[in-house]
Every structure is written in structure tokens, then in C-alpha cells.
Amino acid sequence: MVNVNDVREIVQSGSALLVDARQPARYRGEIEPMDKVAGHIPGAVNHPWEEGIHPDGTWLSPSEQRTRFRDLADVGDPIVVYCGSGVTACSTLFALELAGIRGVRLYPGSWSDWISYAENPIAVGDGEVKR
């Protein structure tokens, strides 16, 4: 697991890849049903947790997960997953494990924790930093 200070270091140094597991509209900052501020952590990529399951709620197979995460398979950097409050990011951690991508860590405070610090930057859309 990582904390807010670890994520600040990642944002500044690029020492890990941040994966946002929320719906694309939340990631882009178009909507935010839970928190007072919308957007994502700068540098994060979006892999919504729901894309890891079939319509009937069963998990995609390991090979389907590998296809889904092909852009993450060879990044070479550690991967840190977050969501709104740390809950659904766990689904993405599991899906990454199914895909054979090991050593992924969770930012349990996630978006709710990140925005609680006024000094933390926030990105919207494709990455425009708004604070």
C-alpha cells in the first residue's frame, strides 16, 4: 500500500504508473457523485474496474485480462491503483493479478484522500492540471 506522500512523489518523479479504476467520466472530471472536486491525479491512466467483468458479473478470463491490460504489461515501473475511496480499486488489483501483472500496490485513500489536501494538483480531461 502507498499513502498520499508516496503518491505525491510518484506525481513529481514519475517513479510509478498510477491507474485510476473509476468510470471514465469521473476520471475526466465531467462528473463527481461522491467528492466535492472532480478529476484525477496527474499522470494517471484510466482502467475502469467494470471492464474486468462480463455483463453477468463474472470475471474476464486471465487471457482477456491480459488483453485488457496490454498497455500496462511492460511498463517497467511499479503500478499503483486507486479509485474514489479505495474499494473498487481492489477489483482492479485482482484483475491485474489475473492478467499476470504482479507487485501492484493500492492507494487506499484514493481520490477522496488526494483531494483533501489543497496543495495536491488535480487533472481533468486528458491531463490538464487545474490546481
Side-chain angles (χ1 to χ4, degrees):
M1 288 192 294
V2 301
N3 63 37
V4 69
N5 292 321
D6 298 324
V7 176
R8 285 181 183 135
E9 174 62 30
I10 291 166
V11 169
Q12 290 180 357
S13 69
S15 58
L17 177 64
L18 295 167
V19 174
D20 187 318
R22 299 174 300 156
Q23 297 169 339
R26 288 183 74 188
Y27 168 82
R28 291 188 302 265
E30 296 167 2
I31 62 167
E32 182 45 63
M34 307 298 248
D35 293 301
K36 294 181 181 181
V37 180
H40 62 273
I41 300 172
V45 297
N46 189 221
H47 275 280
W49 76 271
E50 299 97 335
E51 292 179 2
I53 57 174
H54 293 286
D56 68 359
T58 58
W59 290 98
L60 299 180
S61 70
S63 64
E64 291 170 312
Q65 298 289 2
R66 281 190 291 280
T67 299
R68 175 179 173 230
F69 293 121
R70 67 183 162 272
D71 63 320
L72 305 181
D74 296 317
V75 296
D77 291 326
I79 296 172
V80 174
V81 180
Y82 74 93
C83 58
S85 62
V87 177
T88 57
C90 294
S91 297
T92 300
L93 285 171
F94 179 71
L96 286 161
E97 182 73 20
L98 285 175
I101 299 173
R102 307 284 187 251
V104 179
R105 295 181 293 164
L106 173 67
Y107 173 27
S110 287
W111 184 247
S112 294
D113 183 52
W114 183 257
I115 63 165
S116 70
Y117 299 91
E119 68 272 18
N120 287 344
I122 293 171
V124 293
D126 291 329
E128 174 192 347
V129 177
K130 70 178 203 179
R131 86 166 191 197

